[in-house]
Amino acid sequence: ARAQAMQVNSSPEVTYDDIGGLEEQTREVREAVEEPLINAEQFAEVGIDPPSGVLLHGPPGTGKTMLAKAVANETDATFIKMAGSELVQKFIGEGARLVRDLFELASEHEPAIIFIDEIDAIAAKRTESKTSGDAEVQRTMMQLLSEMDGFEDRGEIRIIAATNRFDMLDRAILRPGRFDRLIEVPNPDREGRERILEIHTQDMSLADDIGLGAIADQTDDFSGAELASLATEAGMFAIRDERTTVTTEDFEDALEKITDTDGEETGPIAFY
Ligand code: ATP
């Protein structure tokens, strides 16, 4: 069961080219994670320690997991993923043990990148979460920090964490030697949205007159994940209509469908 909680992927398929926008974030992740892995001697010669842990923070579905996978791919590192929520839903003592196993697994598969999603589940400020006062959660976090401390002698393991709730984090985990490289991953701007739409429609049969730029104009505040599902939804409209080519109108219908549901969930008119 413990092995199941950790997802090991010897070579994730994602590359930097699959990521739309996020040029600056990609550059920073490469500097903090890729360089130390492929150029360890240079860090040693200059005489500095590479950043210990990288924390990606930003809204859901913006490409944080993709970034971590792309670095693993690029460096031929094993990608080991674990969700913070899984670390805390275990029996007493199990969280800390899982963290130990996680690092042990990584050292058996060097070079390795450990990706901890939803780090807030084990590292929330005491005041912000029901569970963070929990001694078990604290123990899990302490174990993670102590594994990270043992890092320098550990060789080719890098750690990347992600959160949608940066405001909730216990600042103790951001100290030097811990998650000391912060990278914000925001929703895409207009140009980023167009690029993401290009990426997610590259295998689709699009009508010749389709304008992805115009769709990018109409999708302010969309995340990368939402743009990906917009493209799929547009394809669904074509299929319902028994066509094999996706038109601008399909995208407009998809947009209407997606924004409608959003309105119901979060719109200001919904009182109950
Ligand atoms: P969460 O915080 O919810 O875990 P995340 O930021 O890790 O989300 P990802 O898992 O990387 O998001 O993205 C989910 C999916 O959305 C991706 O598999 C991809 O299809 C699409 N996507 C998100 N961001 C981008 C992007 N910048 N470029 C291309 N596709 C994207």
Side-chain angles (χ1 to χ4, degrees):
R2 265 191 284 152
Q4 271 169 2
M6 299 174 213
Q7 286 177 34
V8 183
N9 188 338
S10 54
S11 94
E13 310 264 277
V14 181
T15 70
Y16 296 125
D17 286 342
D18 299 326
I19 302 175
L22 306 182
E23 286 84 10
E24 183 58 22
Q25 287 81 358
T26 303
R27 199 192 57 71
E28 287 185 52
V29 169
R30 296 185 72 164
E31 181 185 284
V33 184
E34 192 177 309
E35 280 300 312
L37 277 178
I38 60 184
N39 253 333
E41 314 79 40
Q42 201 186 358
F43 278 82
E45 273 171 35
V46 174
I48 57 166
D49 293 330
S52 293
V54 171
L55 179 71
L56 305 175
H57 63 98
T62 47
K64 296 180 290 298
T65 308
M66 288 184 95
L67 265 174
K69 283 185 174 169
V71 187
N73 181 343
E74 197 69 22
T75 53
D76 287 321
T78 310
F79 182 76
I80 304 174
K81 179 179 163 175
M82 177 108 215
S85 56
E86 285 168 333
L87 284 170
V88 298
Q89 283 164 9
K90 304 291 161 186
F91 301 105
I92 301 288
E94 199 74 345
R97 192 155 126 204
L98 270 166
V99 170
R100 249 193 329 270
D101 290 352
L102 190 61
F103 279 78
E104 200 176 292
L105 190 68
S107 65
E108 287 161 11
H109 295 273
E110 283 183 23
I113 288 174
I114 296 177
F115 179 67
I116 303 179
D117 204 2
E118 307 165 41
I119 186 86
D120 44 278
I122 56 169
K125 281 181 248 184
R126 281 158 201 267
T127 48
E128 299 268 348
S129 147
K130 283 186 283 277
T131 53
S132 65
D134 191 318
E136 171 62 8
V137 175
Q138 293 291 323
R139 249 197 312 274
T140 305
M141 190 61 223
M142 294 314 293
Q143 186 63 38
L144 176 63
L145 295 179
S146 104
E147 294 286 350
M148 288 177 74
D149 286 343
F151 235 36
E152 272 91 89
D153 359 293
R154 205 179 278 278
E156 302 182 303
I157 301 172
R158 313 303 312 163
I159 174 156
I160 302 177
T163 182
N164 305 324
R165 299 299 317 273
F166 183 66
D167 54 307
M168 236 174 80
L169 292 184
D170 184 340
R171 291 295 179 262
I173 74 154
L174 306 179
R175 283 186 207 139
R178 296 176 174 179
F179 292 96
D180 49 11
R181 189 61 77 94
L182 306 182
I183 301 176
E184 188 182 358
V185 185
N187 276 335
D189 59 12
R190 190 203 164 283
E191 205 182 318
R193 293 197 297 275
E194 186 169 351
R195 180 73 197 118
I196 293 170
L197 286 165
E198 273 167 23
I199 292 168
H200 286 281
T201 56
Q202 66 195 2
D203 293 331
M204 287 169 67
S205 310
L206 298 182
D208 292 337
D209 66 343
I210 215 155
L212 296 180
I215 301 165
D217 283 335
Q218 297 171 68
T219 44
D220 252 349
D221 297 333
F222 270 54
S223 67
E226 286 167 332
L227 291 166
S229 60
L230 178 69
T232 306
E233 196 58 55
M236 290 304 298
F237 275 101
I239 287 172
R240 278 181 209 122
D241 218 18
E242 295 182 1
R243 278 177 285 111
T244 51
T245 304
V246 183
T247 64
T248 302
E249 205 187 347
D250 293 326
F251 271 91
E252 270 155 16
D253 289 341
L255 203 54
E256 198 169 311
K257 184 173 173 190
I258 288 177
T259 42
D260 260 14
T261 348
D262 276 4
E264 271 164 33
E265 281 165 9
T266 58
I269 334 170
F271 313 114
Y272 19 79

